[in-house]
């Protein structure tokens, strides 16, 4: 009976190996790491730094952007140059991007899976979240003459 069990075990193993040969070949071609080796231990660095900088940059951008329409005080609302009006419209657009886009991008950078293959995307999204407030600050300091 022991011989029959051994023969039956061998036949079952051969049948299982034949049925799973395609999966084994696909797994051999797949070079992406799996499991704990694929985990990114520094996944918090880029979103953490971006969040910390955003906590400083967003209030500064809101204050400067909110005060930027005061640039029209010297020329009056009807006699300002077109360049100044376009710059102020751009600042307002970037303020909306700061209010809605920056938090969405920061949440996305925190929500991405903590895997190595997402590390580049996580860094790009985190640092792109800082672009709207930085652009607002730069545009305020580069306002044209009224």
């Amino acid at each position: 009976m022991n011989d029959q069990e051994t023969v039956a075990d061998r036949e079952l193993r051969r049948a299982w190996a034949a049925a799973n040969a395609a999966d084994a070949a696909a797994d051999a071609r797949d070079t992406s790491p799996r499991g704990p080796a694929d985990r990114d231990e520094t996944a918090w660095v880029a979103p953490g730094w971006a969040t910390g900088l955003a906590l400083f940059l967003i209030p500064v951008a809101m204050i400067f952007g909110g005060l930027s329409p005061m640039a029209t005080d010297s020329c009056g609302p009807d006699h300002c140059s077109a360049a100044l009006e376009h710059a102020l419209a751009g600042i307002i657009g970037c303020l909306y991007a700061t209010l809605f886009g920056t938090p969405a991008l920061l949440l996305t950078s925190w929500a991405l899976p903590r895997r190595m293959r997402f590390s580049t995307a996580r860094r790009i999204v985190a640092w792109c979240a800082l672009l709207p407030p930085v652009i607002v600050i730069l545009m305020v300091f580069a306002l044209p003459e009224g």
Side-chain angles (χ1 to χ4, degrees):
M1 198 151 167
N2 197 8
D3 254 349
Q4 288 177 349
E5 285 180 13
T6 308
V7 171
D9 284 341
R10 285 185 199 142
E11 288 177 16
L12 281 173
R13 288 182 185 179
R14 282 189 196 122
W16 182 86
N20 294 314
D23 292 339
D27 287 343
R29 286 189 306 263
D30 187 14
T31 59
S32 63
R34 301 279 183 223
D38 185 33
R39 187 162 179 80
D40 188 6
E41 297 298 328
T42 61
W44 62 272
V45 173
W49 275 99
T51 302
L53 287 172
L55 289 174
F56 170 72
L57 288 173
I58 290 174
V60 171
M62 289 295 157
I63 290 170
F64 285 168
L67 294 176
S68 65
M70 291 175 60
T72 62
D73 287 349
S74 64
C75 59
D78 298 329
H79 303 299
C80 292
S81 67
L84 179 61
E85 295 295 329
H86 290 298
L88 290 174
I91 289 172
I92 297 301
C94 284
L95 280 175
Y96 282 120
T98 299
L99 281 175
F100 301 112
T102 298
L105 289 172
L106 285 174
L107 285 173
T108 302
S109 70
W110 281 108
L112 281 171
R114 304 292 190 258
R115 298 287 177 216
M116 291 300 290
R117 66 180 181 204
F118 293 106
S119 63
T120 303
R122 187 179 307 105
R123 279 188 231 120
I124 290 171
V125 170
W127 295 117
C128 284
L130 299 177
L131 287 178
V134 168
I135 290 173
V136 168
I137 294 168
L138 292 176
M139 287 178 73
V140 167
F141 283 112
L143 278 174
E145 291 285 328

